[in-house]
């Protein structure tokens, strides 16, 4: 066999099949991350934040219901034989992030519902004792929430789709950071509007840090794509441009605004609000750009053949 | 607009089956995911050589059709098919 | 190929029913559960007749994908899909801009033909990705989608490193070659191999096929076809990245990419752990940062 790949393709036809996932799944990945991280922040606020964090805790628990309600609905609607959705819990397969994720989402949904219901009854009927129930349920909910924020990256990386497969670690960091940034941004919006400005500022600082981590992780992912030769095969395509925008301006611009708002103190509310809205928008753009870029990379034989070269094999190879 | 054809199932493979229509020709169908009939219900219909009524849509290629529903006009056989 | 001794027991030309262990007569192998079966596709013997494609469609009752011409070579099938489980690739090697080549190498002149199919990997990424358990390993060491369980999530489609599995938009399930699971259960050789007139597609037990294939490579090297090599046999291209060997493997004479095959495919599930671990570590880091920031004393 000839040793080096000289760029041959089979009439330029795809070597792989793109995933059948589209915007509904991108939206799910986004909402799952937002809700999962919001639950995690709410629980941390509840356990460590004291009285001042109470409003944030309540709003975080409501936000978690967004993923609980919309998540399964989006996923079931995306199945091609939706009436068999329950087969997702037929087995547990640890080699399949989709199987792992089904259990994470189920655990998150059940515990988040208990948390939110207990919070609601405590607020409405004054049954303060139920706050203990909410706290007890929110701990497993936030652990599942942390999983919900990142397992979708493992789901995409554990395929043969070049764009996703070449950066399993960086993609997980990007999704984790983006999930936390969007959750902190959404909660900060709520705090500025209805709650405690000091808590809002701390959430802003958290979002600022998460956006920087996301920017670094995206730069790492770009390195992975370049090193494996997948970047060259994708350059100039529309998904690639969208991804660059979401990962570049989509992180640096809101991070800059959060930074400015933190420096301005009480006068920085406007900057914080713009930064939060931008973070929320760029989080969704990032998920969908990565979805589209992945599907496009599967369609392009130059990308799949570049990835499937011996030099890109993992080192554990004997 | 769905069409309707009557015939007997010649053979079935997973969700695909060949129907010998009343006019004597063979026609290939693929069960739609919302047909309300599962693939494992097809072999009993074939073995019983029951007359079935298939509601279908033609596909652009024209070599197979999408079965939207299968009905068994004879009630006894319907029971047999359901029992599987 | 030698005719099996049992063939003498059946001198008649028409039979009342299926012969017991018919594969013994047609492929020289008795099919028994618990053993590994597969295909060795010798592309130097392929004449591009597409009998395998037709036999597959006929036996499995598969509809045509598209009725038309692709406009490239004699390949009007294009690719493997939900309704096409065997696909004959046609590669015409045209040397330089000046037209045809000056010299014709032995074997196949300027045409490469290869009958492609699901590779039935030893560690199948599609199976490892399937969250419902619809994809399973049969008692013949082949990989099959159970149609009564598949819910059409589509995760096996991007998982496959060979671009084999596809979802059918019609019935909403994933489909691919079953290595004629129903025929194997009945002791019959798979339809494509049985129909192959040149024995380019050979069906048998994996160990037997692998040694037969190694011999064939030796023979071809002796005849001057130095470019012949195996794809998907243990330790060869295609059987990389922890996929293990492929139960459907090939003898090729040009780079794998020429036949639309990846040179070094990988096992997708090996990426689950690094990705999940990095993600959870990232979240743990953020949780600590949040505790520091949102904590009462801050």
């Amino acid at each position: 066999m000839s040793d080096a790949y000289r760029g041959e393709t089979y009439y330029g036809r795809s070597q792989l099949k793109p995933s059948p996932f589209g915007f509904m799944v991108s939206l799910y990945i986004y909402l799952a991350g937002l809700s999962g991280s919001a639950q995690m922040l709410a629980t941390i606020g509840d356990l460590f934040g004291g009285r001042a964090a109470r409003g944030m805790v309540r709003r975080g628990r409501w936000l978690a219901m967004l993923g609980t309600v919309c998540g399964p609905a989006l996923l079931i609607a995306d199945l091609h034989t939706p009436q068999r959705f329950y087969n997702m819990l037929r087995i547990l397969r640890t080699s399949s992030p989709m199987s792992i994720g089904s259990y994470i989402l189920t655990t998150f949904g059940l515990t988040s519902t208990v948390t939110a219901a207990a919070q609601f009854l405590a607020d409405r009927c004054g049954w303060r004792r139920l706050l203990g129930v909410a706290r007890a349920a929110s701990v497993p909910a936030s652990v599942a929430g942390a999983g919900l924020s990142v397992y979708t990256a493992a789901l995409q990386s554990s395929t043969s789709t070049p764009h996703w497969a070449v950066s399993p670690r960086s993609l997980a960091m990007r999704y984790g950071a983006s999930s936390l940034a969007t959750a902190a941004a959404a909660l900060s919006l709520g705090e500025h509007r209805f709650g405690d400005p000091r808590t809002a500022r701390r959430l802003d600082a958290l979002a600022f840090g998460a956006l920087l981590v996301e920017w670094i992780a995206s730069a790492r992912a770009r390195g992975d794509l370049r090193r494996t030769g997948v970047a060259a095969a994708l350059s100039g395509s529309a998904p690639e441009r969208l991804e660059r925008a979401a990962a570049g301006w989509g992180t640096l611009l809101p991070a800059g605004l959060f930074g400015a708002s933190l420096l301005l103190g009480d006068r920085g509310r406007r900057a914080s609000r713009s930064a939060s809205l931008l973070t929320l928008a760029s989080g969704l753009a990032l998920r969908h750009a990565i979805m589209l870029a992945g599907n496009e990379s599967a369609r392009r034989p130059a990308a799949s053949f570049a990835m499937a070269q011996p030099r890109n094999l993992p080192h554990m190879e004997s | 607009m769905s069409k309707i054809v009557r015939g007997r199932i010649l053979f079935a493979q997973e969700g695909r089956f060949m129907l010998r229509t009343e006019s004597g020709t063979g026609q290939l169908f693929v069960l739609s995911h919302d047909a309300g009939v599962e693939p494992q219900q097809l072999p009993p219909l074939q073995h019983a050589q029951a007359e079935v009524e298939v509601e279908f849509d033609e596909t652009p290629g024209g070599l197979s059709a999408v079965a939207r529903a299968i009905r068994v006009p004879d009630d006894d056989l319907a029971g047999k098919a359901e029992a599987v | 190929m030698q005719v099996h001794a049992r063939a003498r027991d059946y001198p008649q030309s028409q039979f009342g029913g299926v012969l017991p262990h018919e594969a013994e007569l047609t492929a020289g192998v008795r099919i028994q559960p618990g053993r590994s079966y597969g295909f060795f596709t010798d592309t130097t013997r392929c004449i591009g007749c597409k009998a395998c494609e037709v036999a597959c469609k006929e036996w499995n009752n598969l509809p045509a994908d598209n009725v038309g011409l692709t406009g490239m070579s004699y390949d009007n099938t294009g690719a493997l899909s939900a309704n096409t489980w065997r696909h004959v690739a046609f590669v015409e090697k045209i040397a330089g801009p000046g037209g045809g080549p000056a010299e014709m190498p032995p074997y196949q002149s300027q045409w490469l033909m290869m009958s492609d199919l699901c590779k039935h990997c030893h560690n199948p990424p599609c199976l490892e990705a399937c969250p419902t358990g619809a994809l399973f390993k049969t008692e013949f060491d082949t990989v099959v989608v159970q149609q009564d369980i598949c819910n059409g999530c589509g995760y096996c489609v991007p998982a496959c490193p060979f671009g084999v599995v596809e979802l059918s938009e019609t019935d909403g399930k994933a489909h691919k070659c079953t290595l004629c699971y129903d025929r194997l259960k009945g002791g019959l050789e798979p339809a494509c191999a049985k129909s192959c007139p040149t024995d380019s597609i050979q069906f048998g037990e994996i160990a037997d096929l692998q040694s037969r294939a190694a011999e064939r490579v030796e023979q071809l090297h002796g005849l001057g076809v130095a470019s012949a090599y195996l794809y998907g046999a243990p330790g060869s291209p295609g059987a990389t990245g922890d996929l293990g060997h492929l139960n459907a493997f090939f003898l090729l004479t040009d780079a794998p990419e020429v036949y639309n095959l990846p040179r070094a495919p990988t096992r997708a599930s090996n990426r689950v752990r690094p990705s999940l671990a990095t993600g959870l570590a990232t979240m743990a880091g953020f949780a600590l940062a949040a505790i520091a920031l949102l904590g009462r004393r801050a």
Side-chain angles (χ1 to χ4, degrees):
Chain A
M1 185 184 77
S2 56
D3 289 331
Y5 173 49
R6 295 187 306 270
E8 304 101 327
T9 63
Y10 184 67
Y11 302 98
R13 295 189 70 99
S14 308
Q15 184 255 313
L16 295 172
K17 297 220 171 9
S19 79
F21 309 145
F23 185 71
M24 276 206 287
V25 179
S26 307
L27 184 62
Y28 163 74
I29 294 174
Y30 171 70
L31 291 178
L34 174 59
S35 304
S37 291
Q39 184 70 279
M40 192 177 93
L41 290 179
T43 305
I44 288 169
D46 185 34
L47 294 175
F48 304 97
R51 198 172 264 277
R54 270 191 195 165
M56 185 210 89
V57 171
R58 187 177 299 120
R59 282 183 280 277
R61 287 172 176 170
W62 296 144
L63 208 50
M65 288 309 287
L66 190 66
T68 303
V69 174
C70 302
L74 284 167
L75 290 184
I76 292 171
D78 197 64
L79 292 178
H80 286 70
T81 307
Q83 66 269 30
R84 289 188 188 167
F85 72 92
Y86 51 82
N87 276 358
M88 284 294 182
L89 300 179
R90 187 175 163 266
I91 57 163
L92 169 64
R93 191 163 260 161
T94 51
S95 61
S96 168
M98 193 180 276
S99 177
I100 299 170
S102 300
Y103 287 91
I104 292 180
L105 181 61
T106 307
T107 311
F108 180 78
L110 294 175
T111 49
S112 292
T113 306
V114 171
T115 308
Q119 176 80 49
F120 179 81
L121 291 174
D123 290 348
R124 277 295 158 93
C125 313
W127 299 341
R128 312 297 300 169
R129 271 200 194 153
L130 281 176
L131 286 178
V133 175
R135 178 175 287 182
S138 77
V139 173
S142 57
V143 173
L148 204 58
S149 306
V150 294
Y151 94 85
T152 44
L155 187 148
Q156 288 182 313
S157 289
S158 304
T159 63
S160 299
T161 297
H163 187 281
W164 305 334
V166 296
S167 61
R169 291 187 178 84
S170 315
L171 193 64
M173 273 175 77
R174 294 170 89 178
Y175 280 11
S178 174
S179 298
L180 198 100
T182 49
L187 290 172
S188 156
L189 275 180
E191 279 317 279
H192 274 305
R193 185 96 173 74
F194 313 103
D196 170 31
R198 279 181 53 208
T199 309
R201 274 201 292 280
R202 286 165 190 177
L203 288 166
D204 286 353
L206 203 55
F208 174 79
L211 286 167
L212 290 186
V213 173
E214 187 190 327
W215 185 80
I216 293 167
S218 289
R220 257 195 64 169
R222 226 174 1 261
D224 293 332
L225 286 161
R226 225 177 266 141
R227 186 169 39 77
T228 50
V230 175
L234 272 182
S235 79
S237 65
E240 192 243 2
R241 284 205 299 273
L242 179 61
E243 191 198 340
R244 284 181 93 96
W249 289 114
T251 54
L252 293 179
L253 201 60
L257 284 169
F258 274 129
S261 136
L262 288 169
L263 290 175
L264 287 169
D266 282 341
R267 287 167 299 141
R269 281 176 73 161
R270 236 208 195 140
S272 164
R273 186 159 13 140
S274 314
S276 293
L277 292 173
L278 261 173
T279 305
L280 287 169
S282 78
L284 179 58
L286 179 85
R287 302 315 199 287
H288 196 48
I290 289 175
M291 183 66 80
L292 294 176
N295 289 343
E296 184 61 26
S297 72
R299 269 184 222 109
R300 295 191 178 192
S304 51
F305 286 144
M307 171 180 74
Q309 291 303 318
R311 65 186 173 85
N312 289 337
L313 285 173
H315 296 301
M316 58 196 154
E317 193 70 22
S318 55
Chain B
M1 258 306 283
S2 292
K3 296 179 183 172
I4 287 175
V5 67
R6 276 188 173 217
R8 292 172 205 279
I9 294 177
L10 271 177
F11 43 83
Q13 271 278 17
E14 299 181 335
R16 306 171 293 274
F17 61 97
M18 180 78 82
L19 194 77
R20 191 178 57 215
T21 61
E22 283 174 324
S23 60
T25 55
Q27 193 170 357
L28 183 56
F29 292 96
V30 179
L31 263 189
S32 164
H33 70 90
D34 52 5
V37 180
E38 294 290 332
Q40 58 268 31
Q41 290 175 290
L42 295 175
L45 286 173
Q46 177 201 338
H47 294 143
Q49 280 297 294
E51 179 160 64
V52 293
E53 199 175 81
V54 181
E55 190 183 318
F56 70 98
D57 288 323
E58 274 169 356
T59 49
L63 289 184
S64 73
V66 183
R68 299 285 175 206
I70 301 180
R71 283 181 288 272
V72 186
D74 185 343
D75 286 340
D76 295 346
L77 285 164
K80 217 185 265 177
E82 292 296 312
V84 177
Chain C
M1 206 173 97
Q2 292 236 308
V3 176
H4 196 270
R6 258 187 71 201
R8 288 197 203 102
D9 303 341
Y10 302 98
Q12 69 270 44
S13 55
Q14 285 197 341
F15 304 100
V18 177
L19 305 183
H21 298 292
E22 198 213 66
E24 212 165 49
L25 285 104
T26 60
V29 58
R30 184 177 279 231
I31 299 163
Q32 286 165 317
R35 298 195 178 181
S36 271
Y37 295 93
F39 293 123
F40 164 46
T41 306
D42 180 352
T43 65
T44 58
R45 280 184 165 145
C46 182
I47 54 169
C49 69
K50 302 193 198 181
C52 50
E53 277 190 30
V54 176
C56 177
K57 292 245 180 203
E58 283 289 327
W59 178 264
N60 292 300
N61 221 2
L62 291 161
D65 263 329
N66 61 325
V67 189
L69 304 175
T70 56
M72 45 168 235
S73 74
Y74 293 108
D75 178 5
N76 293 316
T77 312
L80 294 170
S81 74
N83 294 324
T84 302
W85 300 347
R86 268 276 179 191
H87 161 236
V88 182
F90 287 77
V91 181
E92 189 168 14
K93 299 176 76 177
I94 301 163
E103 261 183 89
M104 292 289 241
Y107 278 92
Q108 295 216 352
S109 60
Q110 294 311 108
W111 276 104
L112 297 178
M113 287 156 254
M114 183 198 83
S115 180
D116 197 8
L117 81 157
C118 167
K119 316 297 180 289
H120 295 274
C121 312
H122 182 63
N123 295 318
C126 58
L127 183 155
E128 292 179 328
C130 179
T132 64
L135 271 151
F136 81 120
K137 269 256 174 127
T138 68
E139 63 271 37
F140 306 111
D141 200 26
T142 57
V143 184
V144 173
V145 190
Q146 297 174 85
Q147 296 298 311
D148 51 342
I149 294 169
C150 177
N151 64 9
C153 75
Y155 192 35
C156 50
V157 177
C160 175
F162 302 101
V164 170
V165 199
E166 195 182 50
L167 273 182
S168 160
E169 289 296 328
T170 311
D171 72 358
K173 320 264 184 316
H175 296 277
K176 67 169 201 71
C177 163
T178 64
L179 219 143
C180 281
Y181 186 33
D182 50 349
R183 288 176 67 93
L184 295 193
K185 282 194 279 193
L188 292 158
E189 181 182 7
C192 54
K194 191 176 177 183
S195 73
C196 181
T198 61
D199 242 357
S200 167
I201 302 170
Q202 297 174 35
F203 169 78
E205 268 192 65
I206 294 298
D208 180 35
L209 289 178
Q210 282 170 352
S211 60
R212 233 191 278 173
E215 273 170 38
R216 174 68 176 161
V217 172
E218 285 296 302
Q219 185 197 8
L220 284 170
H221 285 176
L223 289 167
V225 190
S227 56
Y229 68 96
L230 295 181
Y231 179 93
S236 67
T240 51
D242 207 20
L243 276 181
H245 62 271
L246 309 180
N247 274 17
F249 63 104
F250 304 84
L251 187 152
L252 307 176
T253 54
D254 205 332
E257 290 88 357
V258 170
Y259 301 90
N260 218 7
L261 293 169
R263 192 176 294 238
T266 52
R267 184 180 183 180
S269 66
N270 279 356
R271 294 185 275 273
V272 176
R273 203 177 289 187
S275 188
L276 265 187
T278 311
L280 292 175
T282 308
M283 292 313 286
F286 283 129
L288 290 177
I291 290 171
L293 274 165
L294 296 170
R296 216 173 314 203
R297 282 173 296 117

